[in-house]
């Protein structure tokens, strides 16, 4: 396991600057461990390469509650830590939903659910068309966000054309009716790994998995309910 | 116009490796050869219009120039939030090319019609809108759109004028009231105003609207005849003539559904947009 969301973690102190929450609040930070592993171990992107055309792309589709995202971006030097102190204010580039035009390293402005996966499909196609074969495309969606039908257009199309991109679904059981049979059943034609969303080594292995077709990583974290 | 669009876009894709095409089954047969030739950047995503917009947005994020195409109600109405967020909010662009226009698909019924497409785009920032009145106006509009990164909408129609004109042409200059004809409304307008002392101004690019020429040509009365929802341009005309006393009449299809089939000519007549109907409305407004 890990200690990212423990009060002693440096990342947690960055999170606390945003939320004002000194206590442990894992359900509010369901994406924290996946984002950390992405930026710490997987993505080929640094503050110096945010405009390189062949950089890896990470699209945060679930643009709600981006505190963990901002904390990771600050920890990795994409944004100044001071930005975390004034979230949502007139002076701050950091809002309750991220804006790519205001924040270095942020690939898409999101918050309205169901946009990231379609944009990721186009991004992966655009990178391939331009010969950036090393560049990988990752997108993160929530399990409730999967309720949006626009995702299913992208899921079906990516499978049909065997497009290599990686979708991470954070499953904290927040979907109103859930996904009977499990989330991987909603991704026919995709390869899939289901991992403990707090176990960094498991997450890393799943994110590095390249199967020559679209790949799903379901990161299971504490239930939002109960 | 649709054939011209397919031919020109095919040439553009062959010539410019930065361009891309995304369709959602509509015109799939016509584009099949170019999709076979350029499978890396010409795509048919199936009947998935939200995805078509998202894929276009993603391609634009990587620096490519995507062309998207479908019937206007599927391209614009259905995917409105995608158009709003996947392009404008990301500060990217695309070339959206529709067919169907307001009531071209008369026999198909209201499901395939979109009189409100330009009004919808008017709620968003920075869209250039081209409404060609003749097929020969289409290629240069598309070629110009391929060369930049802006947000462009091209509204194709089966209704055509007898010949092509450049945007901003003045076809009749007799002082008096200014009649602005947008795209395929030019021929009906010219017929309607025969014998009337008016100035006729042709526009195939109503966004941005040419405010300088409106101000130069107007006396104190303006009639705008558009092939989409009546009054769509009322705000931009009002802005263009701000501070200048004027009377205005805006003609176009109404928002009430005409629950009949037939041809586009039947609908034009019913909407008062055939030459006789236009003449009636214009002379009544002018009191002549």
């Amino acid at each position: 396991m890990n200690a990212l969301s423990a009060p002693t973690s440096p990342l947690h102190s960055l999170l606390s600057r945003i939320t004002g929450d000194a206590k442990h609040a894992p359900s509010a930070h369901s994406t924290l461990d996946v984002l950390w592993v992405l930026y710490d171990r997987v993505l080929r992107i640094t503050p110096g390469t945010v405009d390189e055309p062949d950089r890896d792309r990470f699209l945060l589709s679930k643009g709600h509650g981006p505190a963990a995202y901002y904390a990771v971006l600050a920890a990795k030097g994409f944004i100044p830590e001071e930005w975390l102190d004034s979230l949502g204010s007139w002076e701050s580039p950091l809002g309750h939903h991220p804006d790519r035009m205001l924040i270095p390293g942020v690939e898409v402005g999101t918050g309205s659910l169901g946009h990231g996966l379609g944009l990721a499909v186009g991004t992966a196609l655009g990178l391939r068309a331009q010969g950036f074969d090393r560049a990988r495309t990752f997108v993160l969606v929530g399990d409730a966000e999967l309720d949006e039908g626009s995702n299913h257009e992208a899921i079906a199309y990516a499978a049909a054309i065997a497009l290599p991109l990686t979708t991470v679904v954070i499953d904290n059981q927040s979907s109103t009716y859930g996904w009977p049979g499990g989330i991987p059943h909603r991704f026919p034609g995709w390869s899939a790994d289901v991992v403990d969303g707090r176990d960094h080594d498991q997450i890393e292995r799943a994110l590095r998995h390249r199967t020559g077709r679209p790949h799903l990583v379901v990161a299971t974290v504490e239930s939002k309910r109960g | 116009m649709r054939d011209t669009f397919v031919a020109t876009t095919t040439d553009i894709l062959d010539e410019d490796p930065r361009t891309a095409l995304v369709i959602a089954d509509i015109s799939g047969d016509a584009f099949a050869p170019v999709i076979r030739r350029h499978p890396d950047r010409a795509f048919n995503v199936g009947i998935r219009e939200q995805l078509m917009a998202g894929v276009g947005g993603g391609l634009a994020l990587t620096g490519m120039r995507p062309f998207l195409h479908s019937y206007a109600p599927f391209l614009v109405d259905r995917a409105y939030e995608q158009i709003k967020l996947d392009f404008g909010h990301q500060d990217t662009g695309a070339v959206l090319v529709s067919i169907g226009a307001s009531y071209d698909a008369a026999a198909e019924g209201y499901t395939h019609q979109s009189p409100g497409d330009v009004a919808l785009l008017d709620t968003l920032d920075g869209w250039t809108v081209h409404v060609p009145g003749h097929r020969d106006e289409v290629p240069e509009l598309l070629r110009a759109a391929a060369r930049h990164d802006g947000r462009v909408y091209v509204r194709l129609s089966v209704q055509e004028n007898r010949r092509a004109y450049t945007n901003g042409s003045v076809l009749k200059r007799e002082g008096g009231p200014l009649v602005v004809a947008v795209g395929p409304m030019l021929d009906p307008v010219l017929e309607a105003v025969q014998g009337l002392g008016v100035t006729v101004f042709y526009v195939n690019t109503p966004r941005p609207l040419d405010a300088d020429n409106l101000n130069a040509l107007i006396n104190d009365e303006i009639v705008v005849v558009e092939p989409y929802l009546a009054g769509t341009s009322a705000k931009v005309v009002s802005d263009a003539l701000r501070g200048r006393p004027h009377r205005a009449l805006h003609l176009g299809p109404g928002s009430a559904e005409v629950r009949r089939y037939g041809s586009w000519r039947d609908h034009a007549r019913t909407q008062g947009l055939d030459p006789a109907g236009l003449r009636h409305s214009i002379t009544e407004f002018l009191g002549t």
Side-chain angles (χ1 to χ4, degrees):
Chain A
M1 291 296 287
N2 65 91
L4 280 187
S5 49
T8 51
S9 155
L11 204 54
H12 183 72
S13 74
L14 293 174
L15 262 177
S16 301
R17 285 174 73 161
I18 304 173
T19 60
D21 170 24
K23 292 183 181 176
H24 182 75
S27 64
H29 309 130
S30 60
T31 58
L32 182 65
D33 294 275
V34 166
L35 290 172
W36 179 254
V37 173
L38 270 165
Y39 279 88
D40 194 48
R41 304 189 188 181
V42 178
L43 291 173
R44 287 171 41 253
I45 183 168
T46 66
T49 63
V50 291
D51 294 320
E52 290 296 318
D54 71 340
R55 68 189 183 276
D56 285 347
R57 303 300 202 278
F58 170 68
L59 283 66
L60 180 75
S61 186
K62 191 187 88 70
H64 292 58
Y69 188 40
Y70 293 156
V72 169
L73 289 174
K76 286 293 175 186
F78 290 88
I79 59 173
E81 290 181 13
E82 296 71 42
W83 284 14
L84 303 177
D85 299 327
S86 52
L87 180 82
S89 71
W90 179 253
E91 293 78 18
S92 177
L94 306 185
H96 293 256
H97 305 127
D99 185 335
R100 72 178 289 268
M101 300 305 293
L102 301 177
I103 311 169
V106 168
E107 301 285 1
V108 284
T110 52
S112 188
L113 298 175
H115 289 262
L117 197 41
L119 287 166
V121 168
T123 299
L125 289 169
L127 292 171
R128 187 162 75 178
Q130 294 171 79
F132 301 132
D133 295 330
R134 283 185 70 205
R136 298 183 66 193
T137 302
F138 298 84
V139 58
L140 186 150
V141 305
D143 71 300
E145 186 181 3
L146 273 189
D147 293 357
E148 296 281 7
S150 54
N151 289 312
H152 297 271
E153 295 189 357
I155 290 167
Y157 178 64
I161 62 168
L163 183 69
L165 82 166
T166 298
T167 299
V168 182
V169 177
I170 302 293
D171 184 8
N172 63 353
Q173 298 174 50
S174 58
S175 166
T176 299
Y177 296 104
W179 291 103
I183 288 171
H185 284 88
R186 307 299 152 177
F187 287 72
W190 291 51
S191 55
D193 287 314
V194 179
V195 301
D196 176 344
R198 301 299 183 194
D199 185 315
H200 292 191
D201 293 335
Q202 276 191 42
I203 294 168
E204 182 185 0
R205 271 196 303 277
L207 292 174
R208 290 196 182 282
H209 206 159
R210 301 177 82 153
T211 61
R213 55 180 169 145
H215 186 57
L216 168 70
V217 177
V218 179
T220 308
V221 298
E222 305 80 2
S223 172
K224 191 177 180 181
R225 301 206 181 96
Chain B
M1 282 194 205
R2 185 184 191 171
D3 294 341
T4 310
F5 154 61
V6 171
T8 305
T9 305
T10 296
D11 289 346
I12 290 172
L13 285 161
D14 284 341
E15 295 158 13
D16 183 351
R18 195 179 78 107
T19 55
L21 174 71
V22 193
I23 60 169
D25 271 353
I26 298 298
S27 304
D29 288 344
F31 278 121
V34 79
I35 290 173
R36 274 197 300 273
R37 270 204 303 286
H38 305 290
D40 58 329
R41 55 190 173 88
F43 314 104
N44 181 355
V45 299
I47 310 170
R48 300 185 174 100
E49 289 84 9
Q50 292 185 78
L51 179 65
M52 176 168 63
V55 166
L59 288 164
L61 282 169
T62 69
M64 298 194 74
R65 182 59 166 164
F67 283 63
L68 279 56
H69 162 68
S70 189
Y71 268 79
F74 315 140
L75 181 66
V76 179
D77 306 27
R78 181 186 290 247
Y80 172 76
E81 196 200 41
Q82 268 75 16
I83 291 171
K84 172 187 163 195
L85 295 183
D86 296 357
F87 298 112
H89 183 52
Q90 311 303 338
D91 195 34
T92 64
V95 187
L96 274 50
V97 184
S98 76
I99 53 169
S102 291
Y103 40 69
D104 281 7
E108 309 300 318
Y110 193 60
T111 57
H112 284 57
Q113 299 167 13
S114 177
D117 51 353
V118 176
L120 279 168
L121 291 178
D122 270 350
T123 66
L124 306 175
D125 182 43
W127 282 87
T128 294
V129 177
H130 297 302
V131 183
H134 189 277
R135 67 194 66 185
D136 291 347
E137 297 168 27
V138 173
E140 185 43 42
L141 298 176
L142 292 173
R143 288 187 172 282
R147 292 193 288 264
H148 60 85
D149 286 318
R151 296 184 280 282
V152 177
Y153 180 55
V154 184
R155 189 187 208 256
L156 306 180
S157 179
V158 297
Q159 304 171 55
E160 281 189 272
N161 303 316
R162 280 182 297 270
R163 50 157 289 197
Y165 299 91
T166 41
N167 185 50
S169 298
V170 178
L171 286 121
K172 181 175 162 81
R173 193 193 290 264
E174 300 183 11
L178 172 63
V179 182
V180 179
V182 176
M185 302 314 294
L186 179 63
D187 274 3
V189 162
L190 287 174
E191 191 175 337
V193 299
Q194 275 179 17
L196 301 179
V198 303
T199 294
V200 175
F201 184 56
Y202 174 67
V203 170
N204 72 13
T205 303
R207 299 291 181 279
L209 192 65
D210 185 347
D212 290 345
N213 257 315
L214 286 193
N215 275 286
L217 293 167
I218 191 175
N219 286 322
D220 50 12
E221 290 167 320
I222 183 168
V223 179
V224 180
V225 185
E226 300 177 292
Y228 37 80
L229 204 57
T232 298
S233 288
K235 180 180 179 299
V236 289
V237 168
S238 178
D239 285 348
L241 303 175
R242 181 175 22 211
R244 177 173 193 146
H246 64 278
R247 295 174 66 230
L249 173 68
H250 291 271
L251 299 174
S255 53
E257 181 179 342
V258 176
R259 214 172 278 275
R260 298 282 290 269
Y261 297 101
S263 73
W264 68 261
R265 288 185 176 80
D266 296 315
H267 284 250
R269 188 176 60 251
T270 299
Q271 300 275 9
L273 298 172
D274 62 335
L278 289 171
R279 187 175 183 88
H280 175 77
S281 297
I282 292 169
T283 53
E284 187 178 68
F285 171 73
L286 299 177
T288 50

